């Protein structure tokens, strides 16, 4: 693979230089409730980000692949020696290109003949903050491939393929939430997802409420190793309780006999599933906010995936008038938090909390102006 960089971003029109191309896009996601439940076959409530990743694609007139990211100003070329998706030639791509290549390769394994391609990526989904920019890239890539090559693939099958691209080509042993949310959610409603059956329901946000998302400014560290450790702990807990997955434990007290830290880990997952099931009953914004704050406490104390900066931001948010509740969102160990606020108040609350947090030496930033779209 050869990788080159451009000074100024190149637009899709410039990149394709007069050729026609297919374009598709997909959003990132913010999880409102139900964290670390997907790989336990449980329940969750993500919503799509208004920000999206756009993938433009055309069949190349030379063999091999050229992937360009306008966001990173970086181009990867590989497979030029007559390679196709099953024979990329030289070494497999790295960086942003591996997500695209993973999607192509997986379609190839399913019998789709993928020719040499030119791919242009542009995105305003925040990178590295836990809002699933990688799922957005995978889902947008598969949508573009589906339409360019007329592949029959429904949105759930597409999400599962995107998840496999993440697991097999980016090396992250993730659950199914991010890709399902990117494939099926919109930025106005919550997507209720059952990770076992993959059944989904679109639900309205609590009445008179809106969302803000604040990046803690702390990069996610330890995420991969601790994520895998938590997954293993959950599997051990389920096996000791004699159930296929923690989703099958419906009584929180049932976990009390487990040894530590399995008792704490299982208590988070079982109580988190119950919070999601409570939240989908059309509850008030105040009640939904309490569930979010309880989720944060559980992630901090029982699941131990929070960090000081996220705890401080959540505490500042919860002490602010107009905030119904707040929690970390995503895997934890850094990244962003989400709050449910009184409708119309989110932008001011976000700006004032970020200012107060940063006055204490932090480097938080407001990520999602959800208010702009409601
Ligand atoms: C990451 C994973 C998801 C999910 C969350 C935690 O975002 O990719 O599958 O497990 O963490 O809820």
């Amino acid at each position: 693979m050869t990788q080159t960089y451009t000074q100024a971003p190149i637009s899709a029109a410039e990149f394709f230089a007069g050729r026609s191309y297919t374009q598709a896009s997909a959003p990132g996601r913010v999880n409102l409730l139900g964290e670390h439940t997907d790989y336990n076959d449980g329940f969750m409530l993500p919503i799509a980000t208004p920000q999206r990743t756009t993938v433009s694609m055309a069949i190349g007139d030379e063999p091999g692949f050229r992937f360009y990211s306008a966001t990173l100003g970086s181009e990867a070329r590989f497979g030029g020696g007559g390679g196709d998706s099953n024979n990329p030639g030289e070494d497999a791509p790295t960086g942003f290109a591996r997500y695209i290549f993973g999607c192509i390769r997986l379609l190839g394994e399913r019998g789709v003949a993928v020719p040499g391609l030119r791919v242009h990526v542009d995105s305003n989904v925040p990178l590295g903050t836990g809002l699933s920019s990688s799922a957005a890239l995978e889902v947008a890539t598969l949508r573009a491939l589906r339409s360019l090559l007329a592949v029959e693939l429904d949105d759930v099958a597409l999400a599962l393929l995107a998840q496999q691209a993440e697991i097999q080509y980016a090396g992250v042993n993730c659950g199914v939430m991010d890709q399902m949310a990117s494939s099926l959610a919109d930025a106005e409603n919550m997507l209720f997802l059952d990770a076992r059956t993959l059944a989904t329901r679109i639900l309205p946000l609590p009445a008179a409420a809106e969302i803000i998302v604040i990046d803690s400014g702390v990069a996610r560290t330890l995420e991969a190793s601790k994520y895998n450790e938590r997954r293993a702990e959950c599997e051990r807990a389920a096996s000791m309780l004699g159930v296929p997955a923690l989703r099958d434990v419906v009584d929180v007290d049932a976990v009390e006999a487990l040894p530590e830290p399995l008792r704490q880990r299982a208590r988070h997952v079982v109580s988190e599933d119950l919070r999601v099931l409570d939240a989908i009953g059309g509850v008030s914004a105040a009640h939904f906010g309490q569930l979010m704050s309880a989720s944060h406490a559980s992630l901090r104390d029982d699941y131990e995936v929070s960090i000081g900066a996220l705890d401080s931001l959540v505490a500042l948010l919860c002490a602010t008038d107009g905030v119904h509740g707040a929690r970390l969102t995503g895997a934890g160990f850094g990244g962003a938090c989400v709050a449910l606020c009184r409708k119309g108040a989110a932008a001011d609350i976000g700006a004032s909390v970020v200012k107060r947090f940063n006055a204490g030496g932090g480097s938080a930033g407001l990520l999602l102006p959800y208010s702009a779209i409601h």
Side-chain angles (χ1 to χ4, degrees), residues 29 31 34-39 44 130 132 134 163 166 172-179 220 223 227 231 299 303 327 329-332:
R29 65 98 188 91
N31 192 17
E35 214 67 83
H36 291 280
T37 49
D38 59 353
Y39 53 83
M44 57 234 68
S132 297
S134 60
Q163 181 200 14
E166 182 89 32
V172 181
N173 193 20
C174 63
V176 76
M177 169 172 71
D178 304 344
Q179 291 78 16
R220 292 168 301 151
E223 191 186 342
Y227 186 86
R231 281 194 77 142
L299 287 160
Y303 218 63
R327 60 185 287 278
T329 184

Side-chain angles (χ1 to χ4, degrees), residues 1-2 15-16 19 56-68 75-91 93 97 100-101 104 113-120 145 148-149:
M1 183 186 90
T2 54
F15 184 73
F16 290 104
R19 284 193 193 84
S56 310
M57 202 178 267
I59 294 176
D61 39 27
E62 71 265 23
F65 300 101
R66 275 183 70 182
F67 300 164
Y68 175 74
E75 179 170 314
R77 288 184 191 223
F78 56 98
D84 58 23
S85 64
N86 290 313
N87 177 21
E90 317 91 48
D91 48 336
I100 306 170
F101 178 66
I104 291 175
V114 184
L117 291 174
R118 280 179 166 229
V119 180
H120 179 279
L145 284 165
L148 181 71
L149 305 174

